[in-house]
Amino acid sequence: MIVNLGEIAIVRNGAGIKQEFFASEGIPLARVTNFTDTSIDLFGCVRVCKLHAKKWQSYFLKNGDILVATVGSWPPNWSSVVGKTIRVPFTANNAIQNQNTCCVIAKPIRANQDYLYYLLRTKDFIQYAANSASGSANQARLSVAKLEQFTFNLPSIETQEKIGQILSTLDDRITLLRETNATLEAIAQALFKSWFVDFDPVHAKAQGTKPEGMDEQTAALFPDSFEESELGMVPAGWDYVSLKEVVSIFDSQRIPLAGQERAKRKGEYPYYGAAALMDYVDDYIFDGVFLLTGEDGSVADSNGYPITQYVWGKIWVNNHAHVLQGKDGVSTEHLMMFLKRTNIEPFMTGAVQAKLSQSNMWRIMFLKPPHQISESFGCVIEPLFAKLRHNTEKAQTLTNLRDTLLPRLISGQLRLPDVEEMVG
């Protein structure tokens, strides 16, 4: 059955709220700038004073609502593209829907909410949004009327429910894997902080007690006192050294590929830039576990901490990212956790484009413990990161499966029983 979106869903514009109602505390305001790839992250978001928020109660969001960005760019920069569609998570329940978004809610009996979400994630809809938007390429706007006019073939409600369930199952598995990885990294970060920031084992031994959660053999590696260093008190026998002393750098092997060249060399190997995975190409120049940190362009976040990428396998890296590994007993993961806690603004140059040169990077001082402690820490965290790498690869496999199934299920090219068996 051929229908348009307005027939089977309620489409609602967001609230236009002036800055005078913004507050440091209150009800979160869900804006396009808070969109992630599939959801919305309200950490650090703008808030609306509770006293005034009641005025916009009809714009409060609910878990499962669909939000479509109605203002953005074209050609698409996917982080801000007009027509980008996300689903409201439970963490954004009762947030206020801001202007520049449309909320889409399926009408009972006519349509399934999960199905509509995946329908609006297809390339057909993104292309429709681009063609229907008015304004410039950098500030395109999609009206509610145009959104409601999006036309498509709607299967039976039973088929919609099955398609929505299949794709939601894959998304749930992907989300669980990513949440597990966040937990694994948090555990590793807590261990790093205990050993190398708070010096818990040293404090415990200084007080004549056994370090908590640590076997005797590992505890014996730590001293029971502190001594003065050029940067303050450190455990006895530890010292600050140049980052160069614990890093192997492979920048000389990097090779940049222009966009036109990459278009001719499509393949299976990830191609990384300063801050993100940019493409896939037909060859690789590195094979192993590496830490990438930006050399120029996207070097640090708004707080001055380095933008890092933990990567592994056969990869290609351009000349905008430093390619690093830990050495002399310091694991690459240890190096990563150290850098994530290091403000690099004092080592950056460039007024227009930020740069972290090799020579300036070597000015960063690294607190180096004895070799055995570094090795012991690497052994403790290696199983955590092995699991993290496995989960990441599994999540990517599921993501590829979902993205392959999505257009074929929506278009009816695949039989549901076959897909259900595949996903199961």
Side-chain angles (χ1 to χ4, degrees), residues 232-379:
M233 299 298 290
V234 298
W238 298 26
D239 198 11
Y240 281 99
V241 300
S242 164
L243 189 66
K244 187 176 184 178
E245 300 299 317
V246 295
V247 167
S248 293
I249 189 163
F250 303 93
D251 287 6
S252 62
Q253 299 177 32
R254 302 172 302 180
I255 302 174
L257 294 176
Q260 291 182 339
E261 190 173 357
R262 297 200 305 272
K264 299 174 183 177
R265 300 187 55 176
K266 292 296 183 184
E268 62 179 295
Y269 301 107
Y271 178 93
Y272 290 96
L277 171 65
M278 298 177 63
D279 214 335
Y280 287 88
V281 293
D282 61 357
D283 203 354
Y284 64 93
I285 49 180
F286 299 103
D287 187 4
V289 177
F290 299 92
L291 178 67
L292 309 183
T293 186
E295 178 176 3
D296 51 50
S298 300
V299 173
D301 62 21
S302 57
N303 295 316
Y305 292 93
I307 295 173
T308 60
Q309 300 175 79
Y310 180 63
V311 299
W312 59 90
K314 295 179 172 64
I315 61 172
W316 191 299
V317 184
N318 70 15
N319 60 337
H320 297 295
H322 294 300
V323 184
L324 313 175
Q325 284 182 335
K327 72 175 183 180
D328 195 23
V330 175
S331 69
T332 301
E333 294 78 14
H334 183 164
L335 175 66
M336 175 180 69
M337 287 183 280
F338 165 77
L339 284 175
K340 282 189 173 185
R341 288 177 165 270
T342 303
N343 191 304
I344 62 170
E345 281 188 342
F347 310 101
M348 291 163 50
T349 58
V352 177
Q353 178 170 275
K355 183 176 180 65
L356 178 66
S357 66
Q358 275 192 39
S359 58
N360 280 342
M361 185 166 59
W362 299 149
R363 291 171 49 215
I364 297 172
M365 301 303 287
F366 180 91
L367 180 58
K368 191 173 186 299
H371 194 279
Q372 286 182 301
I373 292 179
S374 296
E375 283 194 332
S376 180
F377 182 70
C379 290

Side-chain angles (χ1 to χ4, degrees), residues 189-224:
Q189 286 284 2
L191 286 169
F192 175 85
K193 183 173 183 291
S194 175
W195 286 32
F196 305 113
V197 179
D198 297 334
F199 311 124
D200 289 336
V202 183
H203 285 294
K205 292 184 70 173
Q207 296 168 9
T209 61
K210 180 182 176 182
E212 186 176 351
M214 183 176 287
D215 62 73
E216 291 185 8
Q217 185 177 3
T218 304
L221 301 175
F222 287 84
D224 59 5

Side-chain angles (χ1 to χ4, degrees), residues 145 149 164 230 398:
Q149 290 168 15
E230 58 181 306
L398 292 173

